[in-house]
Amino acid sequence: MKHVLSILVDNQPGVLRRVTGLFSRRGYNIDSLSVGETENPLYSRITVAVTGDDLIIDQISKQVGKLVDTVEVVALPPETSIYREIALIKVTATSATRADLAGIVGIFRGSIIDVAPSSVTVEITGGKSKIDAFIDLMRPYGIVEVARTGLTALPRGANESEK
């Protein structure tokens, strides 16, 4: 079962290595990872997607919470959280296919962010299934390159533990 953890940490060099090192030392595989500074530059938020049962996730949460630079560890269940990824997809494009591509991009609420003589680059944001579906639709046109962020997530509604 996939679980998502939001780990608020001190924004210091080496913190990410310590957190991910804990996962690898315990033999837990990270399915997705994203990290960024929060609204407060003293903290970074690490969003980690891992596969495991509830007992394993509870154990991981407790172990990460014991790290000196960890401020807070929160499990983000899908029913009460917002999950997003961003993907950049470069697709082969000709003058004959550009209009079709633009139509599909519009349906998916994406944006064409670069146009070259033989390709377009699309930015799309959404859940994993939305991005996977878009990529599948682009395959017949010829995918040149794909870059995806890891999962980023926050709880829905008011956040009681603002730092």
Side-chain angles (χ1 to χ4, degrees):
M1 191 158 132
K2 185 173 268 190
H3 296 270
V4 177
L5 298 175
S6 176
I7 307 167
L8 190 66
V9 295
D10 292 332
N11 189 8
Q12 297 292 324
V15 174
L16 178 62
R17 182 188 49 77
R18 286 190 285 282
V19 171
T20 58
L22 186 144
F23 279 80
S24 66
R25 282 192 307 278
R26 304 292 192 274
Y28 305 131
N29 187 47
I30 295 173
D31 298 324
S32 173
L33 175 73
S34 70
V35 183
E37 192 176 272
T38 67
E39 70 286 352
N40 182 339
L42 296 175
Y43 302 108
S44 289
R45 183 172 313 282
I46 302 171
T47 305
V48 183
V50 294
T51 302
D53 60 29
D54 291 339
L55 182 63
I56 289 173
I57 300 310
D58 187 51
Q59 184 180 23
I60 291 172
S61 296
K62 287 177 182 173
Q63 291 170 351
V64 170
K66 290 178 184 177
L67 294 174
V68 69
D69 296 310
T70 300
V71 177
E72 178 181 55
V73 180
V74 177
L76 298 175
E79 59 275 1
T80 59
S81 305
I82 302 165
Y83 297 169
R84 292 292 184 268
E85 277 187 49
I86 298 172
L88 300 177
I89 302 111
K90 187 181 294 185
V91 181
T92 302
T94 64
S95 57
T97 61
R98 286 188 201 282
D100 289 343
L101 288 170
I104 295 169
V105 169
I107 290 168
F108 278 80
R109 295 191 178 126
S111 299
I112 294 176
I113 59 171
D114 185 58
V115 177
S118 61
S119 68
V120 296
T121 302
V122 176
E123 175 185 19
I124 185 164
T125 304
K128 180 180 178 351
S129 60
K130 176 183 176 181
I131 292 173
D132 289 344
F134 181 80
I135 289 172
D136 287 343
L137 283 174
M138 293 296 105
R139 288 192 199 286
Y141 294 95
I143 294 177
V144 177
E145 204 169 3
V146 174
R148 289 175 84 152
T149 66
L151 184 70
T152 299
L154 282 175
R156 291 187 178 277
N159 188 354
E160 303 299 323
S161 62
E162 293 180 17
K163 301 289 177 205

